[in-house]
Amino acid sequence: MREADYIIIGAGSAGAAVAARLSEDPRSAVLLLEAGGPDSDSTIHVPARFSDLFHSEVDWDYETVPQPGLNGRREYVPRGKVYGGTSSINAMVYQRGHPSDYDGWAEKGNNGWTYRDVLPWFKKMQHQERGESQHHGIGGPINVADLQDPNPLSRAFVAGALELGYAPRADFNAGEQEGFGLYQVTQKRGQRHSSAVGYLRAALQRPNFSALPYAQATRLCMDGERCSGVEFWHEGQRKTARARREVIVCGGAINSPQLLLLSGIGSAAQLARHSIPVVADLPGVGQGLTDHMQVPVAYHCNAPISLVGKNAPEQQRLYEKERVGMLTSNLGEAGGFLRLDPHSSAPELQYHFGPDWFIRHGFDPPPGHGFTILAGLVGTKSAGKLELASADPFAAPLIDFDCLSHDDDVRVLLAGVKLARQIAGASAFDAYRGDEFLPGAQVIADAELIHFIREFATTIYHPACTCKMGDDRLAVVDERLRVHGMEGLRVADASIMPRIINANTNAPCIMIGEKAADMIREDNRR
């Protein structure tokens, strides 16, 4: 039996941060369990190759139950199964979300979670290549950079938005979001800078830290109301590790609630259906599952400059020798935020611009060069749930976002599609714009556009809120991320968000991990 002071389950965006920070204390033994393996596949580190990792061995490769709001479709849900978790297979966009998101968390009784409260951890996690400022830090584990070699189409997108009168935005993480610009990315010298690169590479050199790959947690071990360790499957055997102090679950919004449920922590009624003994009746486990949604507005490109050409030998040479060229692209190079409702505390609409085809996850592109404006719903009001399919820990859970069940979400995407067409029609695109591929010039009426949205909308790969923080009936963890009614057990990842933030979730997950590590150390000094 393995033994450590702290056991962290999941080596993703938050888990890598928690584990690495706790291991900075040489008096603490830290064990990290990861269901996937090391981030040794070279494809992981080449930014423009990230969609090649979909449906691969480093992807949990989930899908939803049929979604009525998507015309009955099942929706693909990629999740990283590798060191770095989804930060090893994502689009590397560095966003924090609007400050009011965090203030809203605090208003729900979660003291210490206002934007002002969490800003020090955002700065601590970051090395901002632009330099230190009121909003940004230097010297942190995660490198934040401007794009090495932005595509001319991305610059045209920003110019087109400004042509329509929208504001320029050079920094989306300095308190204000509204406007358009090029995105910053978690890269360093043209390579992906995941939480595995930023946190685990240093931690693995410490004698008090050990990481066990291909070790899938199957059940938390309980000693009364105390979590004493974890059962996991490794090398074809069921094994156990004991935690002298705490177990921190960092599996993300899908795997964290699944593990809690498998361990008897969740709705007593759901647990009874699977003959799982109840350890803690917490009906909120798995509830409130939320994601952002996006819909593609895509055009043929008249110039051979899109990322369709990224596989050319010349691009490989540029990348290998100079770390420039198309392979440094994150595929979502530019974007912007808009507030549609003047009474909304934060923008509800976010754009990602791709100088490439990105339709239905990029699986079925049309021939030739193209570009895609992705209109994104980030003020999501639709929420679903995650439940067990069975008591088998290796069975995928039932994932239900209840996509586009709220009329306001459809309204936001409809407005987003119409504005995307306006931006594409700006003179900045005149040299590049070919025929509209999607929705297609003949699709004009609102009813037709809504049908198109339901046919082509996908999630933006930001699941959250399934182990939410708070003190109400459906809350799973308290403001210090301790599971209600349990001792020695915390959850730290996107699942603890009381409400999903209105932007890309990777940086907030790392912030949650950083803050969790400090709270754990503080609580264990008492």
Side-chain angles (χ1 to χ4, degrees), residues 1-48:
M1 178 189 293
R2 288 177 175 263
E3 192 169 304
D5 294 302
Y6 301 107
I7 299 174
I8 293 86
I9 300 171
S13 298
V18 174
R21 290 302 191 189
L22 290 177
S23 71
E24 289 176 345
D25 180 355
R27 299 166 297 180
S28 296
V30 177
L31 173 63
L32 175 63
L33 302 178
E34 167 54 43
D39 57 331
S40 53
D41 184 342
S42 61
T43 305
I44 291 171
H45 305 284
V46 181

Side-chain angles (χ1 to χ4, degrees), residues 408-425:
D408 285 354
D409 291 349
V410 178
R411 177 186 59 82
V412 169
L413 285 178
L414 179 60
V417 167
K418 291 178 178 180
L419 177 57
R421 281 175 153 175
Q422 292 180 35
I423 295 173

Side-chain angles (χ1 to χ4, degrees), residues 50-386:
F50 81 85
S51 60
D52 296 347
L53 301 167
F54 291 171
H55 295 322
S56 75
E57 64 179 11
V58 300
D59 179 10
W60 282 96
D61 199 11
Y62 290 129
E63 68 175 9
T64 67
V65 299
Q67 298 290 287
L70 301 181
N71 292 342
R73 291 187 289 122
R74 293 178 182 268
E75 176 59 5
Y76 168 54
V77 184
R79 295 283 87 199
K81 189 179 183 181
V82 62
Y83 284 8
T86 306
S87 78
S88 288
I89 69 168
N90 70 353
M92 296 153 281
V93 177
Y94 183 79
Q95 295 283 353
R96 295 173 178 172
H98 195 271
S100 66
D101 292 333
Y102 303 95
D103 295 344
W105 293 4
E107 288 168 6
K108 295 181 182 294
N110 297 300
N111 294 327
W113 290 90
T114 68
Y115 182 70
R116 183 176 179 180
D117 291 329
V118 302
L119 181 58
W121 284 282
F122 273 121
K123 294 171 72 172
K124 181 181 180 181
M125 63 168 274
Q126 175 190 46
H127 177 71
Q128 171 57 259
E129 286 194 358
R130 294 178 182 176
E132 191 172 15
S133 69
Q134 175 186 351
H135 299 282
H136 295 286
I138 57 173
I142 299 298
N143 202 73
V144 178
D146 294 329
L147 287 157
Q148 288 281 97
D149 200 357
N151 192 280
L153 290 165
S154 300
R155 296 190 185 278
F157 170 78
V158 177
L162 302 190
E163 197 177 314
L164 295 180
Y166 294 104
R169 182 64 57 194
D171 185 354
F172 293 94
N173 299 295
E176 293 296 330
Q177 278 183 316
E178 290 185 83
F180 288 79
L182 295 174
Y183 284 151
Q184 284 202 294
V185 290
T186 50
Q187 292 183 14
K188 186 173 184 179
R189 291 192 291 274
Q191 291 186 295
R192 176 187 298 277
H193 211 253
S194 67
S195 63
V197 174
Y199 288 93
L200 294 185
R201 288 187 179 176
L204 286 165
Q205 306 306 310
R206 299 175 187 138
N208 63 322
F209 177 82
S210 58
L212 198 62
Y214 308 110
Q216 183 169 338
T218 55
R219 186 177 69 88
L220 299 170
C221 301
M222 303 298 171
D223 184 3
E225 294 181 347
R226 180 171 186 80
C227 182
S228 58
V230 59
E231 284 186 1
F232 60 97
W233 193 260
H234 183 246
E235 296 180 336
Q237 297 180 356
R238 181 178 289 107
K239 300 179 181 181
T240 304
R242 178 177 175 271
R244 290 186 288 264
R245 292 184 178 176
E246 293 194 30
V247 173
I248 304 97
V249 179
C250 303
I254 306 299
N255 295 94
S256 285
Q258 181 188 26
L259 181 60
L260 293 184
L261 290 165
L262 289 168
S263 307
I265 302 170
S267 163
Q270 182 183 169
L271 297 173
R273 291 198 297 271
H274 300 290
S275 301
I276 298 173
V278 177
V279 172
D281 183 9
L282 290 177
V285 174
Q287 297 298 305
L289 177 61
T290 310
D291 204 332
H292 301 139
M293 300 294 295
Q294 62 187 2
V295 62
V297 178
Y299 292 81
H300 292 279
C301 183
N302 290 330
I305 58 171
S306 81
L307 296 184
V308 168
K310 67 181 181 291
N311 295 321
E314 172 65 11
Q315 293 301 321
Q316 186 67 33
R317 186 198 68 78
L318 282 171
Y319 184 76
E320 290 177 353
K321 293 193 173 182
E322 304 175 47
R323 289 290 186 261
V324 296
M326 292 184 178
L327 290 175
T328 65
S329 175
N330 71 321
L331 308 190
E333 297 184 352
F337 290 84
L338 291 178
R339 191 189 315 259
L340 300 180
D341 180 351
H343 302 294
S344 177
S345 59
E348 313 98 310
L349 187 60
Q350 179 188 7
Y351 286 93
H352 292 83
F353 177 81
D356 200 349
W357 301 111
F358 200 81
I359 300 161
R360 289 181 172 158
H361 314 286
F363 296 146
D364 190 22
H369 287 266
F371 59 87
T372 310
I373 303 173
L374 291 158
L377 162 73
V378 290
T380 314
K381 294 183 178 179
S382 304
K385 60 187 176 182
L386 178 141

